[in-house]
Amino acid sequence: MPTNMPAPQPSRSTAGDHRARARLRRHPARKTAKRMVVAAGAFAIAFSVLAVFLSWVIDPLQLYHKSWYSPVYSSEERYQNAGLARHYEYDTIILGTSMTENFLPSVVGRALGGNAMKLSLRGSTVPEQYETANLALSTGQVKTVLWGIDYFALRAGKNELGDEFPSYMYDSAYWNDYKYWFSITPYEKLGHGIMKLAVKGEGGDLERLNNWSRWVKFGRKEVLADYRKARQQEAYYGTNEDPLVDVQWAFDKYVLSVVKSHPNVQFRLYYPPYSILRHAVWHENNPVRYGNQMVMRKWMFEQLSKLPNAAVYDFQGESRWTFDLDQYKDLSHHREEVNTAIAEAIGRNDSAYRVTDQNIDKLNEKLEQQVSTYVIMDDGKVLAIPVKVNGTQVPFTARSAANGDMLVPAKEASAALKAVLVWDANSKVMTVAKGKNVLKMAIGKSYVERNGRKMEAQSQIKLIDNRLQIPLIFVSEQLGFQVEQPAVEPAITPILIND
């Protein structure tokens, strides 16, 4: 019969031997782990040193020094401009949004009497322009600043492109440059520059860096397409418009403070000439922005006029450009030739554009009249057609081209002409009378009846948005008025109606 015998217990010496052997087995593992940690640390340090060394030597964006090899400039202005501002020689800088990208530095230099460096930032806000300006001004070599002031840049939020601004590249600290040392971004920007140089032949020349005038299509067709698109897409923009007090704060903090802080630097600020249709879309779809912009035009000048080192120039009412849609690629952006004309006008301190206490209200009134009286003609040409009846300006809430005439609301026209208007909705016949003259016109009929006699009509009456519209020139003449259309400017052709 088997006997259940207890298992033999190990002696103390045997247990100790087991623990000793276990410790011996763990000891090599610890050594291996320590070696791996040390190796990883050494690798990280070596990699960091190499990354910093390469960033310093290659320095793809010239953040620390000018390139020792034939430079290729990145088209990413926010990353490239810091190096240009730090390490190049100049005494004039160009600041602003994409509206300033087509300036040629050589042209600006000749016009303003210096050596110009373009530091434009497409889609930028004034805080970004502020940092760029301060970096360039900190070099102590800047004598003149040419600064394009766009209303839509006067805010403190993100830029229009949604990019983060690399502020670490614009400050004087080195500790936060790790974003430059350990990022692939600077090399990507360099790669994009090399690609642009290879494809377009641009990127190695500061004269045409980021100048897009030769690579886009300008013309009336493109602008009108953008106009129709903007009228739909910007219908609700006014609901998100920044309060005027915030816009003024942004100007004061990011523009005015720079001018005040550098009394020995001459600041030449200007309002860029968008096409008249850009203002028109704001006026119709975003009256808050349009109204704020008109207020800011004067308010900014008033702040700057107190400073002896600042001058303001206004090109927004220059109808030779703003009504000529062939000068634009979209509602806002114009050809290089316009930038050249702006630089030359500022260089000669042209009184036609220099804003003063005496003309600021007139300049605003001029622009507002152009916006409120523009008409897109049948051929796509845009004209400003103000109307005066016996010397009195007449505003119309709607206007459109009509075969050499202009359609306006019938009620508004008859009131201005002091004529009697009768509309028969059933027969769709309009009767308008002034003194002995009686004119009848019907919807869809090419003939009219004047004082009982039929005659051909150059333009017909129409119902547009359920409002009766009449050809103003034709109706005025048939009621016995004298009508003149003198050409005041190439794009300004008023209608003068007199008894």
Side-chain angles (χ1 to χ4, degrees), residues 223-247:
V223 179
L224 289 174
D226 196 37
Y227 168 73
R228 290 188 289 268
K229 181 179 176 182
R231 293 186 73 188
Q232 294 181 341
Q233 293 185 346
E234 298 182 17
Y236 303 102
Y237 277 19
T239 59
N240 298 317
E241 199 62 36
D242 291 338
L244 184 60
V245 64
D246 291 350
V247 178

Side-chain angles (χ1 to χ4, degrees), residues 252-440:
D252 188 48
K253 180 174 177 61
Y254 297 113
V255 179
L256 191 63
S257 66
V258 178
V259 183
K260 287 181 176 179
S261 299
H262 299 86
N264 295 323
V265 176
Q266 297 300 309
F267 287 83
R268 301 293 177 255
L269 304 99
Y270 78 95
Y271 304 150
Y274 317 124
S275 80
I276 193 64
L277 296 185
R278 171 69 280 174
H279 293 284
V281 172
W282 283 339
H283 180 254
E284 296 163 12
N285 283 11
N286 192 348
V288 175
R289 169 172 285 196
Y290 176 78
N292 285 356
Q293 180 190 225
M294 298 306 298
V295 171
M296 286 298 294
R297 280 165 48 87
K298 182 176 181 178
W299 186 87
M300 289 187 293
F301 163 72
E302 290 174 339
Q303 312 314 305
L304 292 164
S305 64
K306 302 171 186 176
L307 305 175
N309 61 325
V312 180
Y313 299 84
D314 178 20
F315 298 95
Q316 294 186 341
E318 179 46 86
S319 62
R320 290 179 303 162
W321 304 334
T322 60
F323 280 80
D324 183 2
L325 302 188
D326 289 332
Q327 298 296 326
Y328 294 82
K329 76 179 184 71
D330 52 30
L331 290 178
S332 303
H333 296 88
H334 50 66
R335 294 177 184 270
E336 175 187 301
E337 289 78 6
V338 176
N339 289 88
T340 295
I342 289 171
E344 292 173 346
I346 293 175
R348 64 177 178 266
N349 194 28
D350 196 323
S351 61
Y353 307 107
R354 175 74 183 268
V355 184
T356 66
D357 291 321
Q358 290 72 40
N359 68 11
I360 179 59
D361 289 326
K362 292 179 181 179
L363 290 171
N364 270 8
E365 290 169 5
K366 178 181 179 181
L367 179 58
E368 288 189 281
Q369 184 184 76
Q370 290 177 0
V371 173
S372 64
T373 62
Y374 86 95
V375 177
I376 301 176
M377 307 307 288
D378 297 323
D379 60 358
K381 187 177 181 180
V382 182
L383 297 176
I385 309 180
V387 176
K388 285 187 177 181
V389 177
N390 292 323
T392 301
Q393 190 83 28
V394 181
F396 290 105
T397 57
R399 48 180 64 218
S400 58
N403 194 24
D405 209 320
M406 183 171 73
L407 293 177
V408 297
K411 288 184 178 180
E412 297 173 12
S414 60
L417 299 172
K418 292 182 170 55
V420 177
L421 174 69
V422 177
W423 168 246
D424 188 332
N426 293 324
S427 63
K428 291 185 170 47
V429 173
M430 176 200 76
T431 303
V432 60
K434 172 76 172 179
K436 297 180 180 180
N437 294 311
V438 179
L439 181 68
K440 291 186 177 183

Side-chain angles (χ1 to χ4, degrees), residues 28 124 219 427 470:
S124 60
S427 63
I470 65 172

Side-chain angles (χ1 to χ4, degrees), residues 32-33 38 57 73 207 300 369 411 429:
T32 301
V38 171
V57 174
Y73 304 104
E207 177 74 353
M300 289 187 293
Q369 184 184 76
K411 288 184 178 180
V429 173

